[in-house]
Amino acid sequence: MKKLIILPLIAATLAACSPVNKQLEEAAQLFNSGRASDAVVIYRAAAVQGNPEAQLQLAKCYDFGRGVEQNLEEAVIWYTRAAEGGNSNAQDNLGTCYISGTGVEKNLEKAFYWYGRAAENENPSALNNLGLCYRNGEGTQKDDIKAAACFLAAAEMGNANAQYNLGRCYFHGLGVPNDPVMAQKWVTEAALQGHENARLFMADNNWQ
């Protein structure tokens, strides 16, 4: 019985101490100290070796022009590699690239697909984005009930956007019963996290 407990702990410890993870920690420290271009060199080396987290970070560097010249097409390439490697944040970001046509041709079906992949991995941002797809009928058939369910799952994980969207669902009775109390509860949760639209919504409805 002890072996069953100890062996996974040993494996987790070895993984945490792996050379690639140390490289990523070093890159993050460089990035945070203002040496973004040096961090990119490390991210690229690990990304080429197939590390999904490094691929995600390199994609973000290209996406926002941090430490490297902005290149949205290159960002999509690395988001895709990380997404295919199972990184849920990359899957979510790739979905956003497809839904907005940023760095790639706009494709709502692919956006919905990647949001769905990330949502399966319980990514709260992706769950909220998947809910928006259902609400707006983007890449899938419009379904207010599924939209509200996605918003609820993400809201319970603390995602402010989802909390705001869920509050509006309750306010308008979209996919859930019309319930002003629940509407105020979730919009307030979002506002407490600094969600500006939630604050404005509260003010418009004279909610304290």
Side-chain angles (χ1 to χ4, degrees):
M1 187 67 176
K2 289 183 179 180
K3 289 183 179 180
L4 293 177
I5 298 174
I6 293 173
L7 288 177
L9 290 175
I10 293 174
T13 301
L14 290 174
C17 298
S18 70
V20 173
N21 284 334
K22 288 184 177 179
Q23 287 177 334
L24 295 180
E25 289 178 6
E26 180 184 354
Q29 291 172 357
L30 289 170
F31 198 92
N32 292 332
S33 65
R35 298 172 60 187
S37 58
D38 292 331
V40 168
V41 173
I42 296 176
Y43 284 141
R44 188 188 306 281
V48 170
Q49 294 175 21
N51 182 275
E53 181 61 28
Q55 292 167 343
L56 168 65
Q57 296 303 326
L58 182 60
K60 291 167 69 174
C61 288
Y62 277 114
D63 198 353
F64 301 104
R66 298 171 180 169
V68 68
E69 185 176 350
Q70 187 179 41
N71 187 324
L72 300 178
E73 291 76 16
E74 190 72 12
V76 169
I77 290 172
W78 290 107
Y79 279 139
T80 301
R81 293 185 185 181
E84 290 174 345
N87 187 291
S88 68
N89 289 322
Q91 292 166 344
D92 181 39
N93 289 350
L94 184 58
T96 298
C97 289
Y98 276 115
I99 207 163
S100 62
T102 302
V104 68
E105 185 176 351
K106 187 172 182 176
N107 189 316
L108 299 182
E109 287 74 22
K110 287 186 177 181
F112 178 77
Y113 169 78
W114 284 113
Y115 285 147
R117 286 281 301 274
E120 289 173 0
N121 291 319
E122 299 184 347
N123 184 294
S125 175
L127 277 164
N128 176 67
N129 287 326
L130 190 65
L132 291 174
C133 287
Y134 279 120
R135 187 183 73 182
N136 300 323
E138 295 176 323
T140 188
Q141 186 174 350
K142 181 178 171 64
D143 190 321
D144 288 334
I145 293 176
K146 288 183 179 179
C150 289
F151 293 146
L152 175 60
E156 290 179 337
M157 294 180 192
N159 185 277
N161 289 324
Q163 291 168 344
Y164 171 65
N165 289 328
L166 181 60
R168 287 177 59 88
C169 287
Y170 277 113
F171 187 84
H172 296 289
L174 297 173
V176 290
N178 179 273
D179 189 331
V181 174
M182 291 298 291
Q184 184 171 359
K185 164 187 162 56
W186 286 111
V187 172
T188 300
E189 289 285 346
L192 289 173
Q193 293 198 64
H195 196 287
E196 187 59 28
N197 285 338
R199 290 178 177 177
L200 293 173
F201 197 82
M202 290 185 69
D204 288 343
N205 289 280
N206 296 315
W207 292 342
Q208 300 298 323

